[in-house]
Amino acid sequence: MAGASKNSRTSVATQKFLCPDCGGEIVMKTIITNGRIKSIAECQKCKRQERRPKDFK
């Protein structure tokens, strides 16, 4: 019996993060400063920026 491969069984789930202050959606952005790539999380409504979405709490 041929089973499905492990990679075909995995599901892709995206998680939405919401800002606790204003309720806006938090998106990850990539910024290049001084030749270095930096990822930051930013609320689309209030423009608050943190290092990662977990830091908004």
Side-chain angles (χ1 to χ4, degrees), residues 3 8-9 12 20-24 32 40-41 46 51:
S8 69
R9 290 192 306 253
V12 176
D21 297 335
C22 67
I32 300 173
I40 59 163
C46 64
R51 198 172 129 229

Side-chain angles (χ1 to χ4, degrees), residues 13-20 22-28 41-44 52-57:
T14 57
Q15 187 174 3
K16 272 193 172 180
F17 292 99
L18 298 175
C19 182
C22 67
E25 187 178 350
I26 297 171
V27 295
M28 291 298 293
E42 182 180 42
C43 175
Q44 290 182 332
R52 56 183 178 236
K54 246 182 356 183
D55 294 341
F56 278 86
K57 295 179 181 163

